[in-house]
Amino acid sequence: MDTEFINLDSGNIASEHLCCIIRTQKAHPGVEAKRAWLAARLDEGHVFRKVNAKGCAFIEYAPLETAWAPVVGDNYLYIYCLWVLGDLKGHGYGRQLMEYCIADAKARGKSGVCMMGADKQKAWLSDQKFAQKYGFTCVDHTADGYQLLALSLDGSVPRFAENAKSQRIDEQELTVYYDDQCPFIPQRVDKLRAYCEAHGIPARFIHVDTLAQAKALPCVFNNWAVLYQGRFVTVNQLDGSALEKLLRA
């Protein structure tokens, strides 16, 4: 099945939808925040490639040196997201998108491609079993089960930054680090902040708004990270019910 793919660039980013949340009439705060964030990344070699259809089938990746994640290494690409959802599933789009990324890495003379994973698949991380079919293996890990998966093209491997492996902070209250890379985040933050205020739950929401801040985070991070009682809990985005479960644990 032949389908046109689109790479977002400075000429089309204002008009093309961003897959995860599709709005054609009314502006969406998360989409517009993501659009602005992405527009600022394009000159860094950041790629957002999607199926030319109204739906969610895309890959998003960047040179590791400019990827907003506490992962370090030389000459790699870092995959933030690879998603195919709804009616677009079952057409081989995920395969084509992954193969495009790997071919792009080879064409750019990159050392490989990496992405975040975990001992047990997390809801807001791309499918690691799918990546493993292409030769991605665990090249680094944290003590609590998060993995850095990599497809090495020259034998070198990236790693989590040492600060990310600490997975701890001194502050005991609920702490959420977030950036603008995911369009779901602004409303998720607003709702979670309102829930905490309504229920008297002390919380800090820290907007990660520079590359340096993202690289220096004290935990793994792929646009969102939650810590509670001084320890890292999850990269999964939380709503009120998920927060209550966390507080009872």
Side-chain angles (χ1 to χ4, degrees):
M1 183 176 182
D2 293 328
T3 299
E4 181 183 2
F5 290 83
I6 297 173
N7 283 24
L8 297 188
D9 57 30
S10 59
N12 63 21
I13 192 170
S15 57
E16 289 290 338
H17 73 74
L18 301 183
C19 289
C20 291
I21 300 174
I22 299 175
R23 293 290 176 87
T24 57
Q25 300 297 325
K26 186 177 179 181
H28 184 283
V31 171
E32 297 316 309
K34 168 60 181 280
R35 200 184 304 277
W37 183 89
L38 180 56
R41 309 276 78 76
L42 293 177
D43 288 344
E44 301 169 353
H46 191 113
V47 173
F48 188 108
R49 181 172 177 83
K50 64 172 186 166
V51 173
N52 186 18
K54 188 177 181 180
C56 184
F58 73 101
I59 191 169
E60 184 173 3
Y61 60 89
L64 181 57
E65 292 82 356
T66 55
W68 286 37
V71 177
V72 294
D74 295 325
N75 205 35
Y76 262 73
L77 296 179
Y78 178 82
I79 298 176
Y80 290 102
C81 303
L82 172 56
W83 294 104
V84 180
L85 302 176
D87 293 341
L88 296 183
K89 294 181 71 173
H91 299 289
Y93 297 147
R95 172 183 56 79
Q96 293 177 71
L97 290 165
M98 178 64 88
E99 290 176 356
Y100 178 90
C101 176
I102 295 170
D104 192 19
K106 293 177 179 178
R108 296 198 211 184
K110 294 295 184 181
S111 295
V113 183
C114 60
M115 61 185 281
M116 189 180 297
D119 291 350
K120 182 178 180 181
Q121 178 71 45
K122 306 301 181 182
W124 289 85
L125 295 180
S126 298
D127 186 348
Q128 59 204 43
K129 288 185 178 180
F130 177 75
Q132 289 163 357
K133 293 178 181 179
Y134 290 86
F136 284 74
T137 60
C138 178
V139 296
D140 201 2
H141 60 87
T142 66
D144 55 353
Y146 281 83
Q147 301 179 358
L148 181 62
L149 305 176
L151 171 63
S152 179
L153 301 175
D154 65 4
S156 67
V157 294
R159 65 189 186 281
F160 285 121
E162 286 305 311
N163 45 278
K165 289 187 173 182
S166 71
Q167 303 283 68
R168 291 189 175 276
I169 56 176
D170 293 334
E171 294 78 8
Q172 297 296 297
E173 67 265 45
L174 180 75
T175 299
V176 177
Y177 292 101
Y178 68 95
D179 66 18
D180 295 322
Q181 192 263 334
C182 173
F184 288 98
I185 285 177
Q187 286 189 327
R188 188 77 68 176
V189 168
D190 287 347
K191 290 180 179 180
L192 193 59
R193 180 183 281 117
Y195 187 92
C196 289
E197 290 175 354
H199 292 80
I201 301 170
R204 299 187 308 151
F205 294 86
I206 301 175
H207 186 200
V208 177
D209 59 4
T210 68
L211 172 63
Q213 189 180 3
K215 290 294 189 188
L217 287 170
C219 58
V220 296
F221 178 83
N222 198 52
N223 65 46
W224 175 277
V226 180
L227 296 96
Y228 181 58
Q229 294 182 336
R231 64 180 181 85
F232 174 81
V233 178
T234 186
V235 296
N236 289 349
Q237 294 183 29
L238 302 180
D239 56 16
S241 60
L243 175 57
E244 290 295 342
K245 183 177 180 180
L246 183 159
L247 297 177
R248 291 194 300 269

